[in-house]
Amino acid sequence: MTTTFRDRVRAGELLVGTFVKTPSPHVVEILGHAGLDFAVIDQEHAPIELGQMDMLSLAGRAVGLPLLSRRWGKGTDWIAPLLDLGLTGVMVPHVLDAEGAEAVCDSVRFARNKRGLSPSPRAGNYGGMGIPAYREASDRTSVTMVQIEDESALEHLDAIAAIDDVDLLFVGPADLSQSMGVAFPSPELDAAIDRVVAACRKAGRAAGLFVGDPAQIPAWHAKGVTVFVCGSDQALLRKSAAALMASRNA
């Protein structure tokens, strides 16, 4: 059986991706050709609608780039439509406790008997897959990432990490530092991230982290983080353009 992105996450491979804030299929296609392990469409902090997600998913699947999405809101009703479009998974912001993580998993896994079921969308090969095969394939491959971004969530790490349907605990360091009332970066924030990594290690769960600079990856990987979202498509473009102009003026 082909190794899936979820298999790689659960195996603890070093995986590097970026946020996509531009609703252009071409951006997704380029990132796929560049060899990224995955990308996260940032519906939380960029104006990207469901129809645009449809085209981004199409591009991701065409180029073999696993795509996840994160978006705003405390509900989970946005999750299933994106998985129906063929996204590989979701990254859910501000998960505070095990109850919140369970609600996310309910919206991802058919085996929990709460997600609406139809093999008619892209993910079910437009009806080409039978219901049993579709349920099995979706549950086997869909990735569930829950974000730890609140100080209160630090008291529930073991309970969250113990949920088998959760694939990864992902630290949002900017929001977490804001919630804790500490600087970003700071020793206090690093200690909180260490707590998340320790809980993940204890439960056999993967740990993820946002970094703004790829130079930060080796040190955090040595501490046990295996999944990194580094910057965004817009940041990559801006830095490259700024470097171009700096070279002209050198």
Side-chain angles (χ1 to χ4, degrees):
M1 188 174 291
T2 304
T3 300
T4 68
F5 179 66
R6 188 181 187 221
D7 292 332
R8 298 179 70 194
V9 169
R10 291 208 156 211
E13 288 190 36
L14 174 58
L15 302 170
V16 179
T18 193
F19 281 121
V20 173
K21 297 175 179 288
T22 309
S24 167
H26 306 82
V27 169
V28 170
E29 184 180 29
I30 291 167
L31 294 176
H33 284 307
L36 270 66
D37 293 307
F38 69 102
V40 180
I41 310 302
D42 192 7
Q43 293 184 279
E44 183 182 16
H45 295 297
I48 304 176
E49 304 295 341
L50 186 62
Q52 295 167 321
M53 291 297 299
D54 189 24
M55 294 298 99
L56 298 178
S57 176
L58 190 66
R61 289 165 72 92
V63 79
L65 178 65
L67 292 181
L68 297 89
S69 177
R70 72 169 184 180
R71 59 163 288 171
W72 69 93
K74 295 186 179 299
T76 59
D77 56 348
W78 58 274
I79 293 175
L82 295 179
L83 297 178
D84 284 351
L85 293 180
L87 263 67
T88 300
V90 290
M91 175 187 287
V92 181
H94 297 288
V95 174
L96 301 178
D97 50 29
E99 182 181 5
E102 293 281 9
V104 172
C105 294
D106 285 346
S107 297
V108 174
R109 307 278 174 226
F110 284 122
R112 288 171 167 252
N113 299 322
K114 294 181 180 180
R115 176 182 164 188
L117 173 62
S118 172
S120 62
R122 179 181 295 120
N125 195 19
Y126 299 105
M129 297 177 68
I131 286 179
Y134 176 48
R135 282 172 52 99
E136 187 279 329
S138 180
D139 283 359
R140 175 171 47 83
T141 62
S142 295
V143 175
T144 304
M145 298 186 181
V146 297
Q147 285 197 258
I148 306 300
E149 303 184 285
D150 302 87
E151 185 174 24
S152 65
L154 298 175
E155 304 306 318
H156 301 278
L157 294 175
D158 286 344
I160 295 171
I163 301 169
D164 188 58
D165 283 332
V166 170
D167 297 302
L168 181 142
L169 274 63
F170 188 93
V171 178
D175 279 359
L176 182 56
S177 66
Q178 177 175 258
S179 176
M180 294 173 62
V182 301
F184 173 30
S186 68
E188 296 88 351
L189 177 61
D190 287 353
I193 298 171
D194 287 338
R195 289 178 62 184
V196 176
V197 175
C200 289
R201 184 182 293 113
K202 178 181 176 182
R205 207 71 59 216
L209 177 67
F210 173 83
V211 294
D213 186 333
Q216 299 172 282
I217 292 176
W220 281 112
H221 185 231
K223 285 189 169 189
V225 178
T226 57
V227 177
F228 293 88
V229 173
C230 185
S232 70
D233 60 326
Q234 294 175 355
L236 292 169
L237 177 61
R238 188 180 189 281
K239 289 178 181 178
S240 181
L244 173 64
M245 297 312 293
S247 68
R248 185 197 69 172
N249 299 325

